[in-house]
Amino acid sequence: MSEFWLISAPGDKANMVAWERMNTVTLKANLSSNNKFIIPDLKVGTLDALVGLSDELGKLDTFAESVIKKIAQYIGEVLEDSKDKVQENLLASGVDLISYLTRFEWDMAKYPIKQPLKNISETLAKQMTQIETDLKARAAVYNNIKGNLQNLERKTAGNLLTRTLTDIVNKEDFVLNSEYLITLLVVVPKSSYIQWQKTYESLSDMVVPRSTKMIAEDGEGGLFTVTLFRKVMEDFKAKARENKFIVREFFFDEKELKCEREEMMKLASDKKQQYGPLLRWLKVNFSEAFVAWIHIKALRVFTESVLRYGLPVNFQTMLLQPNKKSTKRLRDVLNAVFKHLDEVAAASIMDASMDIPGLQLSNQEYYPYVYFKIDLSLLDCS
């Protein structure tokens, strides 16, 4: 499972027995894999400040998770045909996400613990906001190039009646710069090739004999040239339509064709040039954002634990990875082991509509112990 439970309970002697019991039962019954989650001695500050910070961290947690999901999903979009390789690009500090999480160490260099908790929270918030802003800007540039290229490529799809002819026609296929003559392009169904060859010269007056040539073919038909006098063009088109030969509205313009070809080549080149640096940026910033997110989780556990268990700071944090189909049993075991921390909560989960400052009851589940979920199914597009 890619779901983890980050829980905390008091770390005094009386509760150490509960911790040992929880470890023994969960491991014996194969309910979860458990790892210690070490949070350093952070500066507590005032309880009033902690209550306010608790609410801010809740919002920051949600925001950080959304940024991580956006980056992960955008990596999938950028990889296009290699979407199966997304997971190997989602790393945190050079290791897979589960390894980083189960071996979490606070980054003292990035988030010094001598400063107030609010400062650390603000640093994390600025970091996440900057990453999201940069992601939007870089994605906009790349998506614009990709979108324009796709629009041009889409024109080359479809049948000869609808697709662009830029990559098909050549200057040699046309009579150009003539005051009297014009070359038309006609789409002829495959079943009518013989009929076309027999009748095109007589569809109207003034058709140049033996002027037809097939220059392209798809599964449905062929594209033929035919040269005739300009003054009979409309008459020829009408007669051709009656015989189910469709004249394409196309006039050879060398400059326009050259521009379209060059535009496609430029966009393809731009996309290729952007791809490498963009993917590198996404990988680096996914790692940065994920690391920041787990530090936010650690801050939340610390804050809630102090508010719940009081001072002096003495609690232990554990990271549990529930085994598949064991979540309900695991929850029952945890509630039984830690029910003494809050008899009311253990007896019946408290009313979700209650709003106690600092405990975030209105938007998360409440248990006798501090609990936060970490969901690593980051590629879920829901």
Side-chain angles (χ1 to χ4, degrees), residues 44-114:
V44 175
T46 65
L47 288 177
D48 276 356
L50 278 186
V51 170
L53 185 63
S54 170
D55 293 333
E56 286 172 27
L57 286 171
K59 293 169 190 167
L60 181 55
D61 186 352
T62 304
F63 172 61
E65 185 174 349
S66 75
V67 172
I68 290 162
K69 280 189 175 182
K70 283 178 195 170
I71 299 174
Q73 287 165 9
Y74 195 59
I75 287 174
E77 286 179 37
V78 170
L79 285 172
E80 293 180 24
D81 299 334
S82 308
K83 280 191 178 178
D84 54 324
K85 294 183 178 171
V86 170
Q87 211 61 45
E88 66 193 56
N89 286 286
L90 301 183
L91 302 175
S93 295
V95 298
D96 65 88
L97 305 185
I98 291 176
S99 296
Y100 176 80
L101 193 53
T102 53
R103 300 173 201 156
F104 173 76
E105 286 182 19
W106 187 275
D107 191 330
M108 300 287 187
K110 263 188 192 167
Y111 314 110
I113 59 172
K114 298 291 183 191

Side-chain angles (χ1 to χ4, degrees), residues 307-374:
L307 287 170
R308 187 88 72 93
Y309 309 133
L311 295 169
V313 176
N314 184 16
F315 64 88
Q316 186 169 325
T317 310
M318 191 75 76
L319 182 73
L320 280 58
Q321 184 177 13
N323 290 331
K324 216 169 184 180
K325 298 178 183 174
S326 299
T327 51
K328 190 181 182 307
R329 173 89 179 100
L330 178 61
R331 188 67 78 191
D332 292 342
V333 167
L334 293 177
N335 284 342
V337 169
F338 294 115
K339 67 181 178 182
H340 62 282
L341 296 174
D342 191 332
E343 296 287 352
V344 178
S348 59
I349 301 306
M350 294 174 73
D351 184 352
S353 64
M354 289 178 65
D355 192 6
I356 301 174
L359 292 184
Q360 297 276 307
L361 293 183
S362 57
N363 56 17
Q364 76 170 53
E365 301 155 290
Y366 182 86
Y367 300 99
Y369 45 89
V370 169
Y371 158 81
F372 292 105
K373 185 169 83 169
I374 298 175

Side-chain angles (χ1 to χ4, degrees), residues 133-159:
T133 302
D134 290 350
L135 174 65
K136 283 179 181 173
R138 288 169 185 269
V141 171
Y142 188 75
N143 289 348
N144 186 45
I145 294 169
K146 185 177 168 184
N148 289 339
L149 182 60
Q150 282 174 341
N151 287 338
L152 287 177
E153 286 173 343
R154 210 170 285 128
K155 289 181 182 178
T156 66
N159 60 29

Side-chain angles (χ1 to χ4, degrees), residues 217-369:
E217 188 177 30
D218 63 15
E220 297 170 33
L223 186 69
F224 290 79
T225 59
V226 60
T227 302
L228 42 91
F229 278 73
R230 287 180 183 273
K231 64 181 182 181
V232 298
M233 183 170 67
E234 294 307 320
D235 185 37
F236 182 90
K237 283 184 183 177
K239 290 288 193 325
R241 201 176 303 116
E242 287 172 17
N243 287 273
K244 296 184 179 173
F245 306 140
I246 308 299
V247 177
R248 284 285 306 260
E249 293 296 330
F250 181 87
F251 295 97
F252 187 87
D253 183 329
E254 196 168 17
K255 280 185 183 174
E256 196 178 314
L257 291 177
K258 190 182 176 190
C259 284
E260 202 171 315
R261 284 171 183 157
E262 284 176 355
E263 174 69 2
M264 188 178 270
M265 285 168 66
K266 183 182 182 300
L267 287 169
S269 172
D270 287 351
K271 186 185 171 194
K272 198 174 178 181
Q273 283 178 351
Q274 290 270 339
Y275 177 85
L278 176 63
L279 188 58
R280 277 194 296 278
W281 184 92
L282 289 168
K283 286 163 71 172
V284 167
N285 283 271
F286 176 85
S287 173
E288 291 284 318
F290 186 86
V291 167
W293 183 46
I294 302 307
H295 280 74
I296 293 165
K297 291 286 188 189
L299 272 186
R300 292 195 76 188
V301 172
F302 182 88
T303 305
E304 300 302 323
S305 298
V306 174
L307 287 170
R308 187 88 72 93
Y309 309 133
L311 295 169
V313 176
N314 184 16
F315 64 88
Q316 186 169 325
T317 310
M318 191 75 76
L319 182 73
L320 280 58
Q321 184 177 13
N323 290 331
K324 216 169 184 180
K325 298 178 183 174
S326 299
T327 51
K328 190 181 182 307
R329 173 89 179 100
L330 178 61
R331 188 67 78 191
D332 292 342
V333 167
L334 293 177
N335 284 342
V337 169
F338 294 115
K339 67 181 178 182
H340 62 282
L341 296 174
D342 191 332
E343 296 287 352
V344 178
S348 59
I349 301 306
M350 294 174 73
D351 184 352
S353 64
M354 289 178 65
D355 192 6
I356 301 174
L359 292 184
Q360 297 276 307
L361 293 183
S362 57
N363 56 17
Q364 76 170 53
E365 301 155 290
Y366 182 86
Y367 300 99
Y369 45 89

Side-chain angles (χ1 to χ4, degrees), residues 9-26:
D12 56 5
K13 279 186 181 177
N15 279 293
M16 290 315 290
V17 176
W19 276 113
E20 284 167 21
R21 190 167 149 230
M22 186 274 290
N23 261 326
T24 304
V25 173
T26 55

